[in-house]
Amino acid sequence: MKAPPVSTTHLRTRPVAVGHWRAFLAVARHLNFRAAAEELALTQSAVSRQIQALEDEVGVPLFLRHTRAVELTGAGGQLLRAVAPALERMDAAVRLVRQQAGRKSVAIATWASFASMWLIPRMEEFQREHPDIDIRIDASDAMVDLETADVDLALRSNVPGSQPAGATRLFGEQLAVVASPWLLKSMTPIREAADVAQFTLIEAGDAHRLPYFELITWRRWFEVHGLAQLQPRRWLYFNYAQQIAQAALAGQGLALARTPLVAHSLATGDLLEVLPGHRLASPLAYWLVPGPRSSERPEVQAFCAWLLLQAEATRRAIGEAGEVSGGG
């Protein structure tokens, strides 16, 4: 049955009531008004009225009513694909809020590689010392606005002078040439900078698109060491620091690694630093940025105090002198 044409002259623009969407999803799921009514604990006529009201609001039919069946129209299918995930996320958020009601928690925003390589491996100690504090880590490369986001603090890397107001410097970084021990055993020894050309070199594939990241590439390392024309055996590109480190751990080549992120692997011997006298200075530093509404909460203060101790240990591990300093 073909859906009747609907005039768009008087289409409404106000938001649609959530209850209408609940009825819509139930009918779309069952393709049956009676089954949808049972799910929603409503009468069949009540569900039918909600669907009719929704169609009036949207301005087009969403279902084709056959004698013994219901069928989504094209517009109905389009709305189903958009609305179902949105309501599922809303329900999940409500469940989380209910579960966390009355509990102490700290929400941290940072980027994925830093969360995986630096923060998460250290979290066991904090959880052991503070078993009553829940932790949520939002790991994304997208920048979070602490004024509006539902997070308590952020961990970021910035060039000094461009960090957010109120940020505390955790540590800087250098770039070190690293490799797995068994890869080094299987190749000719590296005695000078030019010897890296016999290896596959692991590189950040998107460094040219990010501010300052071209300053922490193999190309700059070559230039600093007078090897601007050097070409390695082959290149292996990844977009994330974690992937670069994993490839080095797997023996797939030499990586120019960010020292704070591989300090643990160097300490355990899982990675070895090649040519330790040839580190490359990085313009980036790592910062703790507190959220404007969270800094006075005791659980957030406890996490920040623990974080500063971890940062001090990292500074010692990478050979960086000096104390933590504020910025802004």
Side-chain angles (χ1 to χ4, degrees), residues 6-238:
V6 177
S7 171
T8 60
T9 305
H10 302 294
L11 293 182
R12 299 174 181 177
T13 58
R14 66 189 182 193
V16 177
V18 174
H20 292 353
W21 291 123
R22 297 286 187 192
F24 169 73
L25 288 180
V27 175
R29 191 158 42 239
H30 297 287
L31 294 178
N32 184 288
F33 279 85
R34 180 181 56 79
E38 291 176 356
E39 176 186 322
L40 298 172
L42 298 173
T43 64
Q44 186 170 333
S45 61
V47 172
S48 181
R49 286 194 300 272
Q50 289 203 34
I51 297 300
Q52 185 61 58
L54 177 59
E55 290 176 326
D56 290 343
E57 292 278 5
V58 175
V60 296
L62 303 178
F63 295 97
L64 298 176
R65 282 81 162 171
H66 304 294
T67 303
R68 298 182 180 277
V70 177
E71 179 184 355
L72 276 166
T73 64
Q78 182 179 356
L79 285 178
L80 177 63
R81 290 189 291 274
V83 173
L87 283 182
E88 288 171 3
R89 287 196 298 272
M90 184 174 68
D91 290 341
V94 170
R95 287 193 297 270
L96 185 61
V97 168
R98 286 171 174 168
Q99 292 169 1
Q100 294 179 341
R103 296 180 65 90
K104 293 186 290 184
S105 65
V106 180
I108 305 107
T110 188
W111 71 102
S113 290
F114 188 77
S116 299
M117 300 177 69
W118 192 88
L119 182 57
I120 293 174
R122 293 166 168 78
M123 284 300 306
E124 182 183 358
E125 178 181 334
F126 180 82
Q127 293 176 311
R128 187 170 59 248
E129 295 175 358
H130 303 276
D132 58 331
I133 300 177
D134 297 334
I135 298 296
R136 188 183 86 229
I137 299 175
D138 292 340
S140 170
D141 291 339
M143 190 66 72
V144 172
D145 183 355
L146 291 175
E147 293 286 346
T148 58
D150 184 24
V151 296
D152 299 310
L153 57 94
L155 300 171
R156 296 176 177 168
S157 65
N158 290 91
V159 175
S162 66
Q163 74 275 11
T168 297
R169 186 183 185 277
L170 298 175
F171 37 78
E173 71 175 11
Q174 293 180 310
L175 285 302
V177 181
V178 301
S180 72
W182 67 266
L183 174 66
L184 295 177
K185 289 179 181 178
S186 67
M187 300 290 289
T188 303
I190 299 176
R191 295 188 173 88
E192 56 186 40
D195 292 340
V196 303
Q198 66 183 305
F199 291 83
T200 296
L201 298 186
I202 307 168
E203 180 71 293
D206 59 354
H208 62 285
R209 294 193 226 116
L210 301 171
Y212 305 104
F213 274 47
E214 287 190 348
L215 299 178
I216 58 175
T217 61
W218 275 109
R219 286 300 174 195
R220 180 164 175 261
W221 191 88
F222 292 161
E223 291 170 0
V224 167
H225 293 97
L227 301 168
Q229 305 305 314
L230 188 69
Q231 286 292 336
R233 173 182 295 181
R234 68 178 66 84
W235 292 100
L236 182 58
Y237 294 101
F238 295 100

Side-chain angles (χ1 to χ4, degrees), residues 146 154 163-169 287-291 295 325-328:
L146 291 175
Q163 74 275 11
T168 297
R169 186 183 185 277
W287 305 84
L288 164 62
V289 188
S295 57
S325 61

